[in-house]
């Protein structure tokens, strides 16, 4: 029924004292030799960022995600790329154009299927995987659900338009996720194209391109005229090499759900991106709170395949329910195990929601900082004029101590929008609105996801609140 605190600490390879502290924060007082129930143990394991599996109703085994791979089992894998940028700068056009660079793109029978991701085969046998849902909302939404699938972000900037509002948002979403950026300066065929200005403007957002003496690669392309797409792919492969992307194909598969929907006559159809191992027909897997047995696998051209390895997106049939985009999936050894895990997850789902409900509030950040858990206070700052936004950013940057600091995820002029809420949520941060309000969609999202939006009209008050949060004197405002 239960596990001792000591045993739990041992299994997680954490210090007993840290486990006791974590329990105290959850309001459970226990000594090292006392026992706690499996539900509590599971919450604690999650707190420490470990994975686990529920072996039976009462026993939790740490490490659902299996053993760490040894270096000798790792082989290079293709990079997974997401395209971001301002509306109308050519994200969709670029994704379509890149898709056509596949060496087999013109083969008969290869009908393009939009399954949420596709893979391009290049001449030398190299491959690149693209997530087919452009934009930073989808990117951070997946990240907020726990899936980190993107290795590289391609930031599309129209050469005749330059850096726009959503370009800046995209930069900050990528940076918050610590994912490297490659710049595609698009629409080079247009008469007003000015790539120099784009590089210049990027400097204002701390993106220093190679031409400016930095390390960020830029490629001048035209999605419309299919110009320099090979150069963009070369840049992606180069970046992938630097990242040294590897995975073990010889193990039970795990990865993330890219898309999932219920289709009449086919049941739940999900696009999975394999991150480790190889997914095979007949495999039993758990995805979020759902499970399934792989009845069929289809590639991005709608052709049936027997298996899918690392960085390969596949459509899978055979799910019992519909998981969410961004859920992780993992192959398990039996149907009984799959049922057990999903029943348990569905059962504890409500508890988790309750536990997550305090996330992203200033009070929550404060207690994390106090407990020594958080080293930074991530914030999104939106204001009515550039001057006050800058003043707030500068003041907050000066607040940091050795132990904790404010981390500005994004700061811009304008009302609070959905992008701000997703960004704050994916990074566990909060939002500061200075003389601006949130639009109704953003307000709705923030309410649903329990993201703290704080409104101010005096800079001093912003600084004072953040300082209090950092130093531990925060008075609850609610
Ligand atoms: P998205 O909103 O970023 O996905 O942008 P789209 O791919 O929908 O492109 C917006 C518009 O720009 C469309 O009318 C495209 O035809 C056009 N466009 C995209 N790429 C290029 C390009 O390289 N050159 C020119 N001239 N137009 C382009």
């Amino acid at each position: 029924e239960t596990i001792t605190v000591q045993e739990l600490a041992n299994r997680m390879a954490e210090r007993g004292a840290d486990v006791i502290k974590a329990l105290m924060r959850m309001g459970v007082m226990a000594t090292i030799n006392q026992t706690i129930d499996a539900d509590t143990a599971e919450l604690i394991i999650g707190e420490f960022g470990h994975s686990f599996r529920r072996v039976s109703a009462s026993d939790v085994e740490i490490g659902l995600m299996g053993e760490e791979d040894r270096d000798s089992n790792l082989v290079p894998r293709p990079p997974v790329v997401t395209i971001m940028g301002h509306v109308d700068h050519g994200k969709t056009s670029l994704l379509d154009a890149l898709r056509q660079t596949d060496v087999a793109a013109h083969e008969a029978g290869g009908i393009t299927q939009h399954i949420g991701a596709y893979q391009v085969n290049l001449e030398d046998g190299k491959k690149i995987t693209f997530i087919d849902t452009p934009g930073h909302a989808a990117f951070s939404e997946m990240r907020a659900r726990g899936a980190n699938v993107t290795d590289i972000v391609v930031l599309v900037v129209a050469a005749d338009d330059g850096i726009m509002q959503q370009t800046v948002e995209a930069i900050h979403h990528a940076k918050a996720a610590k994912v490297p950026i490659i710049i595609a300066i698009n629409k080079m065929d247009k008469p007003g194209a000015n790539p120099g200005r784009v590089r210049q403007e990027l400097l204002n957002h701390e993106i220093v391109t190679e031409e400016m003496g930095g390390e960020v690669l830029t490629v001048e392309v035209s999605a419309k005229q299919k110009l320099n797409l090979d150069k963009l792919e070369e840049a992606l492969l180069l970046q992938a090499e630097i990242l040294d992307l590897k995975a073990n194909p010889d193990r039970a598969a795990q990865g993330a759900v890219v898309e999932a929907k219920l289709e009449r006559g086919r049941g739940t159809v999900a696009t999975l991106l394999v991150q480790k191992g190889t997914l095979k027909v007949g495999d039993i897997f758990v995805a979020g709170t759902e499970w399934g047995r792989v009845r069929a696998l289809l590639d991005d051209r709608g052709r049936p395949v027997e298996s899918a390895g690392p960085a390969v997106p596949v459509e899978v049939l055979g799910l019992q329910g519909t998981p969410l985009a961004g859920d992780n999936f993992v192959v398990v050894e039996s149907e009984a195990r799959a049922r057990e895990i999903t029943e348990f997850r569905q059962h504890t789902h409500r508890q988790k929601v309750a536990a997550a409900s305090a996330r992203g509030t200033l009070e929550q950040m404060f207690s994390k900082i106090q407990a020594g858990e958080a080293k930074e206070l991530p914030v999104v700052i939106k204001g009515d004029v550039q001057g006050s936004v800058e003043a707030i950013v500068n003041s907050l940057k000066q607040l940091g101590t050795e132990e904790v600091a404010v981390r500005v995820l994004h700061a811009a002029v304008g009302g609070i929008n959905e992008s701000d809420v997703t960004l704050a949520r994916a990074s566990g941060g909060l939002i500061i609105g200075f003389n601006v309000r949130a639009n109704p969609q953003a307000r709705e999202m923030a309410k649903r996801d329990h993201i703290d939006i704080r409104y101010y009209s005096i800079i001093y008050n912003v600084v004072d609140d953040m300082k209090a949060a950092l130093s531990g004197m925060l008075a609850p405002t609610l």
Side-chain angles (χ1 to χ4, degrees):
E1 269 289 82
T2 51
I3 182 170
T4 68
V5 174
Q6 181 70 65
E7 174 64 16
L8 180 63
N10 290 349
R11 287 203 208 172
M12 294 192 295
E14 298 286 350
R15 287 173 40 211
D18 292 338
V19 176
I20 291 174
K21 262 192 240 160
L23 281 164
M24 278 169 67
R25 282 197 297 277
M26 287 172 45
V28 179
M29 299 298 156
T31 61
I32 193 85
N33 295 318
Q34 264 173 352
T35 53
I36 53 174
D37 62 39
D39 284 345
T40 310
E42 200 211 78
L43 288 171
I44 289 290
I45 297 163
E47 277 276 1
F48 280 90
H50 294 288
S51 54
F52 56 87
R53 97 172 136 199
R54 191 77 171 209
V55 181
S56 66
S58 60
D59 195 6
V60 173
E61 189 174 300
I62 322 278
L64 177 61
M65 302 319 239
E67 284 183 19
E68 281 294 304
D69 288 306
R70 282 201 223 109
D71 278 355
S72 56
N73 296 328
L74 297 176
V75 295
R77 65 161 176 86
V80 179
V81 177
T82 294
I83 298 198
M84 298 193 206
H86 194 70
V87 63
D88 279 349
H89 279 197
K91 297 180 294 292
T92 313
S93 308
L94 193 59
L95 274 165
D96 287 345
L98 285 164
R99 192 176 183 125
Q100 315 247 322
T101 64
D102 188 291
V103 288
H106 305 291
E107 244 175 44
I111 298 158
T112 301
Q113 303 278 324
H114 282 274
I115 65 168
Y118 67 83
Q119 201 171 49
V120 168
N121 296 281
L122 303 174
E123 222 125 73
D124 50 7
K126 298 227 163 85
K127 295 170 201 284
I128 303 174
T129 303
F130 290 94
I131 302 290
D132 208 357
T133 326
H136 45 267
F139 173 83
S140 283
E141 187 65 36
M142 294 255 298
R143 200 158 72 81
R145 294 202 56 78
N148 286 312
V149 298
T150 303
D151 301 306
I152 307 169
V153 163
V154 168
L155 182 69
V156 181
V157 187
D160 60 337
D161 205 19
I163 308 299
M164 302 298 283
Q165 185 203 331
Q166 288 160 19
T167 319
V168 179
E169 289 176 2
I171 291 171
H172 294 146
H173 279 257
K175 283 196 171 174
K178 301 192 171 80
V179 173
I181 299 173
I182 287 181
I183 313 290
I185 304 179
N186 190 32
K187 306 201 186 182
M188 284 302 293
D189 58 290
K190 286 188 118 181
N194 187 349
R197 192 189 80 182
V198 172
R199 293 192 179 92
Q200 190 68 42
E201 287 175 347
L202 284 168
L203 284 177
N204 300 335
H205 303 283
E206 280 140 51
I207 294 204
V208 191
T209 60
E210 274 195 317
E211 291 80 358
M212 294 288 181
E215 290 183 345
V216 177
L217 301 174
T218 61
V219 187
E220 297 176 6
V221 300
S222 164
K224 196 173 191 172
Q225 300 195 342
K226 306 204 172 19
L227 184 79
N228 283 345
L229 300 179
D230 52 343
K231 293 227 170 67
L232 178 58
E233 288 167 343
E234 263 169 45
L236 286 167
L237 292 174
L238 182 68
Q239 183 69 54
E241 217 164 282
I242 296 168
L243 293 172
D244 195 25
L245 304 170
K246 287 180 174 164
N248 175 8
D250 299 316
R251 60 178 288 163
Q254 50 185 272
V257 178
V258 176
E259 248 179 43
K261 54 185 183 295
L262 193 60
E263 276 184 23
R264 191 177 288 220
R266 288 174 94 201
T268 292
V269 182
T271 297
L272 304 183
L273 183 69
V274 177
Q275 292 178 294
K276 283 179 175 183
T278 299
L279 184 66
K280 303 183 188 81
V281 171
D283 276 350
I284 293 160
F285 65 101
V286 173
T289 55
E290 306 299 336
W291 73 275
R293 178 194 294 271
V294 181
R295 202 166 70 224
L297 292 172
L298 303 166
D299 71 6
D300 51 4
R301 290 175 192 279
R303 298 172 299 205
V305 289
E306 277 302 307
S307 65
V312 177
V314 274
E315 218 176 34
V316 49
L317 304 185
L319 270 153
Q320 303 290 314
T322 310
L324 297 166
D327 275 340
N328 287 305
F329 83 85
V330 57
V331 167
V332 296
E333 56 276 30
S334 68
E335 189 178 313
R337 175 60 43 80
R339 284 181 189 279
E340 201 169 37
I341 294 167
T342 48
E343 268 161 31
F344 174 68
R345 284 186 179 173
Q346 281 162 6
H347 168 72
T348 51
H349 186 66
R350 232 181 310 147
Q351 261 171 278
K352 289 247 181 66
V353 170
S357 71
R359 192 173 64 175
T361 70
L362 195 52
E363 286 76 19
Q364 177 78 0
M365 286 310 299
F366 165 67
S367 33
K368 280 192 171 171
I369 287 167
Q370 214 182 26
E373 257 180 53
K375 302 265 170 278
E376 50 181 32
L377 179 61
V379 294
V380 172
I381 300 164
K382 296 302 283 284
D384 54 343
V385 290
Q386 190 61 31
S388 30
V389 171
E390 270 167 27
I392 293 168
V393 171
N394 290 333
S395 317
L396 294 187
K397 278 190 176 160
Q398 284 163 20
L399 285 183
T401 64
E402 290 263 302
E403 292 84 40
V404 283
V406 172
R407 179 167 170 225
V408 178
L409 299 169
H410 176 60
V413 171
I416 296 160
N417 61 27
E418 299 97 301
S419 162
D420 300 322
V421 180
T422 344
L423 181 57
R425 173 164 166 241
S427 295
L430 58 102
I431 301 169
I432 293 167
F434 189 78
N435 287 332
V436 293
R437 309 294 303 171
N439 71 29
Q441 295 92 316
R443 211 176 310 143
E444 201 47 48
M445 274 178 75
K447 203 169 137 198
R448 185 196 67 197
D449 300 332
H450 306 280
I451 299 303
D452 201 358
I453 302 182
R454 302 201 146 217
Y455 299 103
Y456 297 90
S457 51
I458 299 168
I459 294 182
Y460 174 82
N461 290 343
V462 182
V463 177
D464 219 38
D465 272 7
M466 297 307 129
K467 195 159 140 192
L470 291 181
S471 61
M473 302 179 303
L474 186 78
T477 56
L478 304 173

